[in-house]
């Protein structure tokens, strides 16, 4: 994530309500996943691990935002656990074979949150 992206996210976060914060968190996660792919393509293990750690931290924040009193939140937790598991495997093996699948799952969830925000 470059400085301009950080600046834009910071401004949006300062002005966001709770549901908007979830959408922004997904967008930050997508930037980190893009950075993971770039680091892998450049064979930069240090940046790969750093950005993978940041990606997992975003998923953890999504988990923390869940209200597990609702069935839908329990299902989301299962998906987030699956994504976290895949990210750990990719990190441990320094590979991105599951990257597209992870992004697809997260993008579907992101679209749902964007719709809910409206």
């Amino acid at each position: 994530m470059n400085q301009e992206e950080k600046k834009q996210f910071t401004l949006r976060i300062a002005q966001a309500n709770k549901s908007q914060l979830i959408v922004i968190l997904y967008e930050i996660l997508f930037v980190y996943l893009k950075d993971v792919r770039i680091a892998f393509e450049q064979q930069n293990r240090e940046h790969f691990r750093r950005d993978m750690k940041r990606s997992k931290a975003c998923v953890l924040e999504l988990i923390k935002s869940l209200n597990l009193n609702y069935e839908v939140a329990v299902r989301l937790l299962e998906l987030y656990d699956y994504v976290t598991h895949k990210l750990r495997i990719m990190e441990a093996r320094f590979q991105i074979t599951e990257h597209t699948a992870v992004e697809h799952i997260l993008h579907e969830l992101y679209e749902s949150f964007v719709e809910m925000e409206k």
Side-chain angles (χ1 to χ4, degrees):
M1 180 179 302
N2 63 39
Q3 287 302 109
E4 183 58 32
E5 288 170 319
K6 286 180 186 178
K7 204 165 131 179
Q8 289 175 3
F9 281 127
T10 301
L11 179 61
R12 289 179 58 205
I13 288 168
Q15 300 170 348
N17 63 34
K18 187 171 180 161
S19 64
Q20 291 168 332
L21 286 174
I22 300 299
V23 170
I24 294 167
L25 185 55
Y26 270 102
E27 292 170 1
I28 292 169
L29 174 55
F30 292 136
V31 171
Y32 287 139
L33 288 172
K34 176 191 67 155
D35 292 346
V36 163
R37 182 181 295 278
I38 291 168
F40 179 79
E41 290 168 355
Q42 296 174 347
Q43 292 294 293
N44 187 328
R45 289 179 184 265
E46 180 183 341
H47 287 177
F48 179 85
R49 285 192 181 102
R50 178 198 66 200
D51 294 324
M52 191 63 78
K53 181 179 179 180
R54 290 174 175 169
S55 297
K56 290 185 301 184
C58 287
V59 176
L60 180 59
E61 286 302 315
L62 289 168
I63 290 170
K64 289 178 181 179
S65 74
L66 295 173
N67 181 345
L68 296 175
N69 293 323
Y70 298 98
E71 183 65 26
V72 69
V74 174
R75 299 293 172 233
L76 282 171
L77 177 60
E78 292 170 356
L79 286 169
Y80 293 149
D81 283 343
Y82 176 79
V83 165
T84 301
H85 175 72
K86 292 299 182 183
L87 291 173
R88 285 185 186 134
I89 290 171
M90 288 189 290
E91 182 179 21
R93 296 180 181 165
F94 186 64
Q95 51 88 0
I96 59 170
T97 55
E98 301 289 335
H99 194 277
T100 302
V102 165
E103 280 187 321
H104 178 73
I105 291 167
L106 292 170
H107 187 71
E108 292 293 321
L109 294 172
Y110 166 76
E111 291 296 327
S112 298
F113 278 101
V114 168
E115 284 300 312
M116 283 183 4
E117 183 189 351
K118 292 178 183 176

